[in-house]
Amino acid sequence: MKRIDELKELLRKYDTQYYEEGVSEISDAQYDRLYEEYVALEKEYPEYALIADSPTRRVGAGNQAGTTTGLPKITHKSPLLSIDKKAKEISELQDFYEKCGGNGTEVIIQPKLDGITCNINYENGILVNAATRGNGYIGDLITDNFKNTDTIYPDSLESFDLEVRGEAIIPFDYFKKHLMENYSNPRNAVAGIMRQIEPKDVKGKGVQVMFYDMGQTNVDISDKDSDNVKILKAFGFQIVPFVVASSWEELKACVESQLNGYIQQVEGFNVLMDASKEFPQAVCDGLVIKVNSKKLRDEIGMSEKGPKWAFAYKFKPLQEETRILRVVWQVGKSGRITPVAEFEEISLGGTKINRATLNNFDYMKQMDLQYNDTILVERSNDVIPRVVEVKAHNLLAEEDIQAKDSFRLPQVCPVCGSPIKELYPLHYCENPFCSAQIKGKITHYASRDAMNIVGLGEGIVDTLFENQLLSDIPSIYSLLEKREELEALPKFGKKKVDNLLKSIEKTKNPELWQFIYSLSIPEIGKKASKDLAQRFLSMQHFLSATFEELIEMEDFGEVMAQNIMDYISNSNVLKMIQTLMEQGVKPKEVEVHSSELKGKTFVITGTLANSRKFYQEIIEKKGGKCAGSVSKKTTAVLIGADAGSKETKARELVAKGEPIVLLESEEAIQAYFGVEY
């Protein structure tokens, strides 16, 4: 039962990462193993299946859906539930097919696209909103973001009402050319891009939505789902390709050929490859098999989590056995020390690989990883390969003592020799001036979500560091005076240097939150940086923050507050910031027209007459702050249509006597804030 609780917490963490943040610390196969272990234990202890937050009952990130994005929320007209039945074994698919009726039962087979699910709504023929799936019932409103994608869709639909489901993807060929340096895989890229607060940040990023299903509609539809997908195509939507099978032999042949050859392995990814170029190169992680008849679907029914008439057949990840040679201990920008396996070279999906991550030392211990072991390396729709299993312990007559010693946890930092501290299960170098940390911090400072210095990625930082043109963050601005040295470097032409220097110059007047985020303060991400900027308004005030002021902020715990205090009280940090200021870097002060709402917190929920940003600017210019969740500290809640769980929470607190103001109309909002628009 202790293991059940451990697995439940791990699965909740990884679900939130995957569905909310578009990232994951582990591979799909590793996640599946944890989930399967939980399911097996839940069958042994069935009382756990009745718990509301059980992973077997949760859709997406569950109640955590939408809590990290800062986007307004909307309730879907009909739920977007997940597929509960999933497996990698053909025998389990056959069992599913037999239970649905067996031979003679038509099924529609579609690629399981590896992106983020979107729900698009037309009312009376007009596109009214677009949203992410969220927890299946409530999603993030992304209408303007959707309109800035490269999606093929109709502007209007005569007088129809239509809820249409699709998957936002970034084609593999576009990802390779433009985004591989900044993202580990196309799904991470599209998840981050589609949740941008500013719609202009979505334009020109290669995002396309491919449509596969209808939700609620007044369109005259067929009993056959395949016919309805054809209707979507006739309307002008870019559809997901499909195959129809009516026997086990047809279904088995289609699955084993990966959708009759439509899906091919390309550089370690399963990619939709269409010679006619009717479909973009979408990355897939399996196939979705659904009973084709709507009437038969109704007879088969639903489980709490999703339909019993649908099955997700997941492709087995690319795996190869090899022999581990040594462990290399890498140091990141935060000082985190990560073990990386070096092994005899293998080929996965046409890509030669001789290194793979081991996550952390505790992960190595759990696998009982030893010198010269035969290991299993996996790569599944991800740039980053991982060691997932020890297949055999191999003894050698002669041992490489140095290589054998590399499997032990270092006693000091492997880069600078400084002491190591343990924050279980992770280990950190304590020296902030470790060269590995400095290079990591420079790379983060220049990254897209921070100061966005185009052309200063990890490889370029390494090159400039090796040639003594970079030594710390302020040295970035010294490059403006070193054009000749830059142009003399291999593969550094005049145009490349021009673009780099122009991009550096553009960063001298950043938003305050961007600058705070770029500093790599431990535990301080984009959302926390924006909250800090709104609370302190200027860099000077932020640097004078007290622990008490920080701990009073919503969603700021003692660890985050102490990390900030440690950072801003460090004399070397203050010297670095002062040097940046002297070089012309002047973060903008947050514009506040008055302080009448100072200390007050507001939550915006549902679909209002204007965008979330519109109301946020009104609040912030009067000194107030917007939060992503309702609590006892909330001053007022702006409630629009289809508000969902935040409205419910606010009303529950009001019923308990909390003095939260509920603003339920545009007139009430205008009166409260003293504005007209």
Side-chain angles (χ1 to χ4, degrees), residues 38-39 50 55 66 90 151 160 188 209 255 272 398 402 416 523 584 610 649 660:
Y38 183 88
V39 170
L50 303 175
I90 200 77
T151 303
F160 294 128
N188 286 3
V209 178
V255 168
L272 188 64
E398 294 184 9
Q402 189 173 8
C416 69
E523 304 292 330
N610 297 284
K649 177 72 177 293
I660 298 173

Side-chain angles (χ1 to χ4, degrees), residues 496-561:
K496 183 174 183 177
V497 173
D498 275 344
N499 291 338
L500 174 60
L501 298 185
K502 285 177 184 176
S503 191
I504 292 172
E505 189 67 43
K506 285 181 181 178
T507 66
K508 288 190 173 181
N509 195 213
E511 299 293 337
L512 178 58
W513 76 265
Q514 278 183 295
F515 188 70
I516 293 173
Y517 176 63
S518 75
L519 297 175
S520 297
I521 305 172
E523 304 292 330
I524 304 302
K526 286 193 293 183
K527 182 182 182 299
S529 298
K530 291 176 180 180
D531 289 344
L532 289 165
Q534 189 57 40
R535 168 63 179 83
F536 295 103
L537 306 180
S538 71
M539 195 62 194
Q540 181 181 355
H541 289 149
F542 170 65
L543 294 175
S544 302
T546 66
F547 183 83
E548 288 70 25
E549 289 173 327
L550 293 166
I551 204 70
E552 287 175 359
M553 292 177 62
E554 191 169 2
D555 300 326
F556 272 66
E558 291 188 8
V559 173
M560 290 174 69

Side-chain angles (χ1 to χ4, degrees), residues 194-213:
M194 282 300 282
R195 291 187 174 99
Q196 292 295 310
I197 300 297
E198 293 292 341
K200 64 181 176 61
D201 293 333
V202 178
K203 197 175 179 92
K205 299 295 174 60
V207 178
Q208 298 183 42
V209 178
M210 299 177 69
F211 298 93
Y212 60 86
D213 198 11

Side-chain angles (χ1 to χ4, degrees), residues 107-111 241-245 251 254-255 259 287-289:
V107 290
I108 178 174
I109 308 157
Q110 296 170 301
F242 66 88
V243 172
V244 175
L251 173 56
C254 181
V255 168
L259 202 69
L287 296 171
V288 174
I289 297 95

Side-chain angles (χ1 to χ4, degrees), residues 415-426:
V415 175
C416 69
S418 297
I420 290 176
K421 65 178 177 181
E422 178 180 343
L423 296 174
Y424 183 82
L426 306 178

Side-chain angles (χ1 to χ4, degrees), residues 23-65:
V23 298
S24 181
E25 292 179 11
I26 62 173
S27 69
D28 286 353
Q30 287 171 291
Y31 177 91
D32 290 342
R33 280 193 283 273
L34 292 173
Y35 186 84
E36 288 161 7
E37 182 185 353
Y38 183 88
V39 170
L41 287 169
E42 199 173 74
K43 286 179 180 177
E44 189 174 346
Y45 298 91
E47 63 270 23
Y48 276 84
L50 303 175
I51 298 173
D53 65 345
S54 165
T56 59
R57 302 179 69 184
R58 186 171 61 241
V59 178
N63 292 333
Q64 294 299 310

Side-chain angles (χ1 to χ4, degrees), residues 54 149 167 192 313 342 368 462 467 519 617 629 634:
S54 165
T149 66
E167 192 84 354
Y313 180 82
E342 289 192 349
D368 190 24
D462 284 340
N467 285 275
L519 297 175
E617 286 182 349
S629 58
T634 303

